[in-house]
Amino acid sequence: MNRLVDHCEALWHLFVKELMKFGVVGAVAFVINASLTWLLMHSWFEDSHLKAKFAATVVAILFAWVANRLWTFRHKRQSDKRRELVQFLVANGIGMAIELGCLGFSYYVLGLTSAYASFVSGTIVGTILGTVFRYFAYRFWVFTEELDEDPNFADTAALEIALITGRATPDQAHHGAGQASGHEAREDTGRSAER
């Protein structure tokens, strides 16, 4: 029974907790995107729903990068922030194209030109499809570097997967974390001696 609990706990730490954080960030980004889209479609961009959606999505993307980098995937940030940002923007560019594609299809192909129809097709349907794509792009392409040298993140995803599959025990996980922290301490001592 303990083994099953250990597997479930490892699964929780590896995916469920991360998905929940991603969901919270996504929900806030959605509120930003939706409210800004609605505001812009009824003011400055009343004549262009695509421009309104584009502007709102850019603001939501910037919020999502900061929130995902500092919270959801904080243990997997890349050391090269520029590269990470470029990859994030590419992933979100594709996500935005999915959203705009849904809106464009609704507006130009189906002839649904009301603000309500554009809101539903671009902001509801498009955002759901774009969000599914974004999660997998973030998880497996943008935020991929494990910060193993940081003692706060010594337990890697590989170790969590080993726990889920039964190739490691919780004792080995804690022992591995101690080794990672000890390794870092030895490196810091070595660096201090070099100075």
Side-chain angles (χ1 to χ4, degrees), residues 74-131:
R74 70 187 181 101
H75 62 291
K76 299 175 83 175
R77 294 176 297 205
Q78 293 186 28
S79 51
D80 185 346
K81 287 182 193 174
R82 287 187 188 134
R83 180 174 181 234
E84 180 185 271
L85 179 59
V86 167
Q87 288 178 322
F88 189 86
L89 292 175
V90 167
N92 275 280
I94 295 169
M96 185 189 307
I98 292 169
E99 292 180 36
L100 292 173
C102 289
L103 190 148
F105 182 80
S106 167
Y107 195 91
Y108 295 108
V109 177
L110 300 179
L112 303 172
T113 58
S114 71
Y116 178 76
S118 292
F119 184 80
V120 169
S121 62
T123 305
I124 307 291
V125 176
T127 299
I128 289 169
L129 296 176
T131 298

Side-chain angles (χ1 to χ4, degrees), residues 100-170:
L100 292 173
C102 289
L103 190 148
F105 182 80
S106 167
Y107 195 91
Y108 295 108
V109 177
L110 300 179
L112 303 172
T113 58
S114 71
Y116 178 76
S118 292
F119 184 80
V120 169
S121 62
T123 305
I124 307 291
V125 176
T127 299
I128 289 169
L129 296 176
T131 298
V132 170
F133 169 79
R134 285 181 181 105
Y135 175 74
F136 286 104
Y138 297 170
R139 181 77 169 76
F140 297 105
W141 188 52
V142 179
F143 300 106
T144 56
E145 290 186 21
E146 293 289 342
L147 300 181
D148 293 335
E149 297 303 317
D150 186 332
N152 294 323
F153 305 115
D155 291 332
T156 66
L159 185 55
E160 294 291 346
I161 289 171
L163 285 168
I164 292 166
T165 60
R167 292 181 298 165
T169 65

Side-chain angles (χ1 to χ4, degrees), residues 34-78:
S35 55
L36 197 52
T37 298
W38 191 257
L39 175 72
L40 293 173
M41 281 196 304
H42 290 85
S43 57
W44 295 287
F45 297 121
E46 194 171 1
D47 60 333
S48 179
H49 296 171
L50 285 172
K51 286 180 186 173
K53 180 64 180 163
F54 178 82
T57 302
V58 167
V59 172
I61 285 170
L62 293 175
F63 163 78
W65 179 61
V66 172
N68 279 310
R69 181 170 213 285
L70 299 180
W71 189 47
T72 309
F73 299 103
R74 70 187 181 101
H75 62 291
K76 299 175 83 175
R77 294 176 297 205
Q78 293 186 28

Side-chain angles (χ1 to χ4, degrees), residues 1-32:
M1 184 64 175
N2 280 344
R3 197 172 171 92
L4 178 62
V5 171
D6 294 337
H7 292 336
C8 291
E9 188 176 316
L11 187 62
W12 165 263
H13 286 294
L14 184 61
F15 292 113
V16 179
K17 194 162 76 170
E18 182 179 272
L19 270 170
M20 288 176 65
K21 288 181 177 181
F22 178 78
V24 169
V25 171
V28 174
F30 175 79
V31 169
I32 291 169

